[in-house]
Amino acid sequence: MNAEFNKELKSWIIALISALVFVFICRNFIFTPVKVVGQSMQPTYENQDRIIVSKVGQIKHFDTIVFHSPIEKEDYIKRVIGLPDDTIEIQDDALYINGHKYDEPYLQEKKKHLLPNQKLTENLKIKVPKGHIFVLGDNRQKSRDSRQLGCISEEAVIGKAIFRFSSVIENY
């Protein structure tokens, strides 16, 4: 009976260690949970939303990413507007990437509430350097993004947001 107990205990220890190794690998190399802090991505993401960030895959225009802030010990979530070597231009709240105009449907709700002659984003033109990306928050009037931080190093990117689960879960 003692040998049988030891065999069962060994089996449970191996299963537990395997599970911990699996979680460690997944969290450090494949995906990680992140909590949204602030209003900069409203209405896409709300303050205190929890999201899953994928650490694998290529980042594309308009992906929502999480990255290490270059000015403080926080992580930011923003939308990728420009990739390396892109020329980004915003004229009268219209976005141009390499001379092509792009619609930004995630800004429509904010645009409805603007006063006459008011803009979400000041006019700008920038060439994104190699190894960097240009990011903006969806809540352009309340976002600290590449307009203030400059282009973000690709090395600072943690990953892209792939799944959101409601902050309501936190209350249960």
Side-chain angles (χ1 to χ4, degrees):
M1 182 162 156
N2 204 7
E4 207 171 296
F5 173 79
N6 287 340
K7 186 177 178 183
E8 185 70 20
L9 181 61
K10 183 179 177 184
S11 173
W12 276 100
I13 290 172
I14 289 171
L16 183 61
I17 290 172
S18 298
L20 290 173
V21 167
F22 178 75
V23 168
F24 175 81
I25 289 170
C26 286
R27 184 161 182 158
N28 287 295
F29 301 106
I30 301 172
F31 62 85
T32 190
V34 173
K35 182 164 64 171
V36 175
V37 178
Q39 305 171 20
S40 71
M41 286 300 292
Q42 288 177 333
T44 306
Y45 295 106
E46 299 292 332
N47 187 35
Q48 303 301 307
D49 277 354
R50 293 201 175 261
I51 60 174
I52 299 294
V53 174
S54 171
K55 295 182 174 188
V56 295
Q58 189 170 0
I59 293 171
K60 300 180 298 258
H61 289 107
F62 309 110
D63 282 345
T64 305
I65 64 162
V66 175
F67 60 93
H68 301 300
S69 166
I71 61 170
E72 49 192 352
K73 291 187 179 209
E74 288 186 30
D75 295 333
Y76 287 179
I77 180 169
K78 305 291 179 208
R79 188 173 301 277
V80 174
I81 302 298
L83 297 172
D85 293 324
D86 280 348
T87 298
I88 304 301
E89 186 171 3
I90 296 179
Q91 280 296 333
D92 298 322
D93 279 339
L95 172 66
Y96 298 87
I97 303 173
N98 300 322
H100 299 314
K101 186 176 181 180
Y102 286 84
D103 192 29
E104 295 181 278
Y106 44 85
L107 297 180
Q108 295 311 315
E109 188 62 33
K110 294 287 181 189
K111 286 183 178 182
K112 289 179 189 177
H113 301 291
L114 292 176
L115 299 172
N117 298 322
Q118 188 180 19
K119 295 180 186 178
L120 288 176
T121 311
E122 66 280 355
N123 292 342
L124 62 86
K125 186 171 185 176
I126 187 168
K127 173 104 169 143
V128 181
K130 288 189 185 310
H132 291 77
I133 55 177
F134 185 85
V135 297
L136 294 173
D138 289 357
N139 189 357
R140 302 275 164 88
Q141 294 171 316
K142 295 184 179 179
S143 177
R144 182 182 286 174
D145 48 41
S146 286
R147 295 171 293 170
Q148 297 83 26
L149 304 172
C151 292
I152 305 301
S153 167
E154 289 178 318
E155 293 174 2
V157 175
I158 297 168
K160 65 180 169 180
I162 58 170
F163 179 74
R164 169 182 49 194
F165 47 103
S166 175
S167 59
V168 175
I169 290 174
E170 218 171 74
N171 297 326
Y172 290 105

